[in-house]
Amino acid sequence: MLNNGESYPKANELAFNKIGGNKLLIDFTKPNNILGYQYVKSIYDIDSKIVPITIKRIKNDFHDSEIKDSIASATSIRNQLFHENEENIIQAVPYKSKEILDNYRLNYGAWHYWQNYFTILKYRVLTMSRSELKKIHGMKEGLENRIIEKISKATNFNEFMELVKTKRYTKTSLQRIFANILTNTTSTEIKHLIAQEQPDGIRVLAMSPIGRQWLNQHKQQIETTIFTSNKKPYPYQTMDERIDNAYYSILPIPVQQRLLKQSYQKPIFKTSQ
């Protein structure tokens, strides 16, 4: 059904209807239902003892862009933040979350939303060759040609998205491809990672005293290398650095330098709870 040009959500719905007829009680075009199904499928695939429990979504939909109640979609909360209406989210998030968001804006000076990355994305697309774009993970069926054509005409990210998206390519799938363009993540890299039976190494970002004790007791039983400091390069470090540089690129230069230094010059593990 994807081969017929349907989007993934629509193809998903048609496939389930074909298997189960019209008796399905779940709308498989809804993002949360698609994700929930994959969780349940994985639980059964690995024969886990986890018992899945579903909770009905109420008062808002996944794509709602306005906060209308104390229960709001993440999309609506982000929309208010990106339009600098931070006070409007008070009714929809815990006080502690609002405090963390305020501190982030104060310390870093910008939100990470697509419009802030548009100029960099445009530069990347227009300075890459078509063959280079074609190698980006997620790029297929000549999409690179459409991206090059439309980005030259767009004056902002939302306009660019409206020009590029089709029934086949949803906004979400395109955003993943754009992120891969910004970080120069290729299909070859991803295929290599997927093909591995186990990772080349595991980087520990942080751990509590309990976690540190558990790791000390069990590290001999773990077959792959555990990296708890930055004294030597760890696998995927180059990829991590590309991602960090792209993510921080919209922030003021001093903030970029501080965050990059924090990522790669300090010990990776922490002992606080």
Side-chain angles (χ1 to χ4, degrees):
M1 295 172 186
L2 285 172
N3 291 335
N4 294 332
E6 300 290 354
S7 66
Y8 178 81
K10 185 62 178 178
N12 202 50
E13 179 192 34
L14 292 173
F16 277 108
N17 284 336
K18 188 173 183 179
I19 295 171
N22 295 320
K23 299 178 181 179
L24 294 176
L25 301 177
I26 298 177
D27 182 354
F28 278 103
T29 65
K30 300 290 186 181
N32 287 124
N33 291 343
I34 295 172
L35 180 62
Y37 164 75
Q38 294 296 336
Y39 282 141
V40 174
K41 180 178 181 298
S42 296
I43 288 171
Y44 280 95
D45 286 346
I46 65 175
D47 195 24
S48 171
K49 295 180 181 179
I50 295 174
V51 179
I53 298 175
T54 60
I55 300 175
K56 184 177 178 59
R57 187 174 193 129
I58 60 173
K59 296 185 179 181
N60 75 106
D61 198 14
F62 184 89
H63 294 297
D64 283 352
S65 59
E66 296 182 9
I67 297 177
K68 301 175 181 178
D69 198 273
S70 58
I71 300 177
S73 69
T75 300
S76 65
I77 294 172
R78 285 194 296 267
N79 187 51
Q80 293 300 305
L81 288 174
F82 296 160
H83 288 85
E84 299 186 2
N85 297 323
E86 287 94 338
E87 295 306 315
N88 292 350
I89 73 169
I90 292 176
Q91 63 173 316
V93 300
Y95 172 77
K96 190 64 178 178
S97 297
K98 177 66 167 55
E99 187 179 65
I100 291 171
L101 289 169
D102 288 341
N103 287 336
Y104 190 94
R105 178 66 179 270
L106 178 65
N107 292 327
Y108 300 152
W111 295 118
H112 300 273
Y113 72 111
W114 274 108
Q115 179 55 35
N116 282 346
Y117 290 95
F118 179 66
T119 301
I120 304 171
L121 178 64
K122 187 171 185 176
Y123 167 78
R124 284 279 299 152
V125 169
L126 296 181
T127 56
M128 295 174 73
S129 67
R130 292 178 190 271
S131 61
E132 288 174 325
L133 267 176
K134 193 172 183 179
K135 294 176 182 177
I136 293 295
H137 181 59
M139 201 76 70
K140 50 190 173 183
E141 299 173 358
L143 179 59
E144 69 277 5
N145 298 319
R146 184 176 181 84
I147 289 175
I148 293 172
E149 175 193 353
K150 302 302 182 184
I151 205 166
S152 299
K153 300 176 181 179
T155 58
N156 59 63
F157 182 78
N158 288 334
E159 183 182 349
F160 174 52
M161 178 65 80
E162 291 301 317
L163 289 171
V164 176
K165 74 181 180 70
T166 64
K167 183 170 68 171
R168 179 69 181 275
Y169 295 106
T170 63
K171 288 185 177 181
T172 303
S173 63
L174 287 171
Q175 286 173 349
R176 286 195 292 266
I177 293 171
F178 298 158
N180 290 335
I181 292 173
L182 288 173
T183 58
N184 197 32
T185 302
T186 66
S187 296
T188 301
E189 285 180 304
I190 300 302
K191 286 178 181 177
H192 171 72
L193 294 176
I194 293 174
Q196 293 179 315
E197 294 185 2
Q198 64 180 27
D200 294 331
I202 298 173
R203 178 189 177 192
V204 179
L205 299 178
M207 55 183 164
S208 67
I210 294 175
R212 188 175 187 180
Q213 181 182 3
W214 184 93
L215 188 60
N216 287 333
Q217 292 173 347
H218 296 85
K219 61 183 178 182
Q220 299 300 325
Q221 302 167 20
I222 301 174
E223 295 181 1
T224 191
T225 305
I226 304 292
F227 292 86
T228 55
S229 75
N230 61 347
K231 292 181 179 179
K232 60 179 180 178
Y234 61 89
Y236 325 121
Q237 181 167 331
T238 300
M239 183 181 289
D240 276 358
E241 289 174 347
R242 292 203 317 260
I243 293 169
D244 281 348
N245 276 290
Y247 187 67
Y248 297 145
S249 62
I250 63 167
L251 303 178
I253 297 297
V255 177
Q256 291 184 40
Q257 293 173 336
R258 172 162 55 87
L259 290 174
L260 290 170
K261 183 177 180 180
Q262 177 179 307
S263 294
Y264 299 107
Q265 291 188 10
K266 291 184 177 180
I268 293 172
F269 69 83
K270 300 177 181 179
T271 57
S272 58
Q273 287 281 12

